[in-house]
Amino acid sequence: MPQDRTTTDSTSAAARARPIAILSYHQTRRPPPRGVPVRTLVLPPWRFALQLRMLKALGWTGLSMRDLEPYLRGERSGKVFGITLDDGYTNNFEHALPILRRLGFTATAFIVTGQVGGSNVWDHGHGAEPVQLMDESQLRAWLDAGMELGAHTRNHVDLTKCSETTAREEIAGSKRELEELLGIEVRSFSYPYGEHRAEHVEMVRQAGYATATTIVSTRARLGDDPLCLPRISVHLYDRLPRVLAQVTTSYEDWRQRRIRRRAKAQQPASAAAMGGGVAAP
């Protein structure tokens, strides 16, 4: 278990309300050549290790979604952040797991249950190379190391493009399959591609999950819906100071506000350009 950096229930409300960054990773291996789809979601293991080592040096502890739950509810406080790894790649078992164990961190791997021991078939049609996913023995070893497994649907589908029946089975079925395969309780879910609508959040709730994560890039706050939690995606070209700031400061909130302001400012200019050349009545 990670080192306990928490305080008692007498901690001030302000401390308990500290926003929590949840980081989203995908693969830890040597990145493929430039131009290969989803290349930006592949981090060299040394870079993954450096980011986490620096956060630990600054007094922060990385936690799985399961271990993060009491912090999200405001029952515990401390300098913590979430670590999630989508899809269940074997390279994370080989490279990320030893790093996590050395640092005393925990993490959640979100598993596509229809492809246990298979590969990232959902990416093949986009020109991405096949990459091996963890098999049953590796999933068990991941759990034995103190890590968590969460569900990521059965077939990595875009829920917004599915029928209601299919979406419900993808959400509930992945939980059921993982629990039956490993004999565990599955508490965490991640929406593939981050895509979902209100009805999908309700399906996740009905399936019995405790938390679910999106890819809305900001920090989680006390009072957020636990089944619609934001995550900050970490990409190949993200520099170390930026990742550290995203976890330890309000940088990501400021960056997203700036992006929204720029987009809003461009809307009148775009409208004026489209109307250019039209004579006034």
Side-chain angles (χ1 to χ4, degrees):
M1 292 295 294
Q3 182 180 352
D4 187 4
R5 297 179 183 276
T6 66
T7 59
T8 66
D9 288 340
S10 61
T11 305
S12 69
R16 289 197 300 271
R18 183 201 302 269
I20 298 172
I22 303 172
L23 299 181
S24 170
Y25 293 94
H26 280 75
Q27 298 188 54
T28 51
R29 64 182 175 97
R30 182 176 180 178
R34 293 180 183 274
V36 173
V38 303
R39 180 176 188 265
T40 60
L41 298 179
V42 182
L43 262 67
W46 68 264
R47 186 170 294 181
F48 177 78
L50 179 60
Q51 291 171 3
L52 298 189
R53 281 204 308 267
M54 288 302 298
L55 285 165
K56 185 179 178 71
L58 293 171
W60 291 74
T61 298
L63 299 177
S64 66
M65 294 306 300
R66 172 199 63 208
D67 294 338
L68 205 60
E69 285 181 33
Y71 297 90
L72 293 168
R73 293 192 297 262
E75 298 167 358
R76 306 180 77 175
S77 66
K79 297 170 68 174
V80 299
F81 64 99
I83 303 175
T84 64
L85 302 108
D86 284 7
D87 305 335
Y89 293 99
T90 299
N91 54 62
N92 289 330
F93 178 81
E94 296 169 341
H95 303 301
L97 180 57
I99 294 166
L100 292 164
R101 295 187 70 176
R102 283 198 299 270
L103 294 173
F105 289 178
T106 57
T108 300
F110 288 112
I111 306 303
V112 180
T113 56
Q115 285 296 321
V116 171
S119 71
N120 55 330
V121 294
W122 54 89
D123 284 333
H124 295 178
H126 303 291
E129 57 188 340
V131 183
Q132 185 72 29
L133 302 176
M134 285 190 272
D135 60 24
E136 180 180 347
S137 65
Q138 291 167 328
L139 295 178
R140 291 187 182 277
W142 179 270
L143 292 170
D144 290 343
M147 307 298 152
E148 182 195 19
L149 294 174
H152 201 36
T153 71
R154 300 179 68 239
N155 298 291
H156 203 284
V157 297
D158 182 341
L159 294 170
T160 64
K161 297 179 180 178
C162 294
S163 68
E164 178 182 346
T165 300
T166 299
R168 190 177 299 278
E169 179 53 28
E170 288 284 340
I171 291 168
S174 59
K175 184 178 194 293
R176 181 179 65 250
E177 290 174 353
L178 205 53
E179 290 179 337
E180 291 176 351
L181 178 67
L182 301 170
I184 61 172
E185 179 190 13
V186 174
R187 300 181 59 80
S188 306
F189 180 79
S190 176
Y191 301 96
Y193 312 106
E195 298 293 345
H196 66 284
R197 292 191 293 264
E199 59 263 35
H200 302 126
V201 177
E202 185 56 31
M203 291 177 192
V204 170
R205 196 182 316 277
Q206 292 173 0
Y209 293 100
T211 64
T213 53
T214 68
I215 54 171
V216 175
S217 194
T218 187
R219 296 176 296 169
R221 288 170 168 77
L222 191 63
D224 283 354
D225 186 342
L227 300 182
C228 202
L229 294 169
R231 283 191 301 173
I232 299 171
S233 296
V234 182
H235 298 97
L236 173 60
Y237 299 114
D238 289 343
R239 295 183 179 274
L240 178 61
R242 173 170 165 167
V243 176
L244 299 182
Q246 287 173 318
V247 172
T248 65
T249 74
S250 60
Y251 167 78
E252 187 63 18
D253 305 319
W254 168 83
R255 191 175 77 89
Q256 291 301 320
R257 287 196 300 269
R258 187 181 183 194
I259 291 172
R260 289 193 295 270
R261 284 198 301 267
R262 285 181 172 179
K264 187 175 181 179
Q266 289 172 355
Q267 289 174 357
S270 299
M274 291 178 64
V278 178

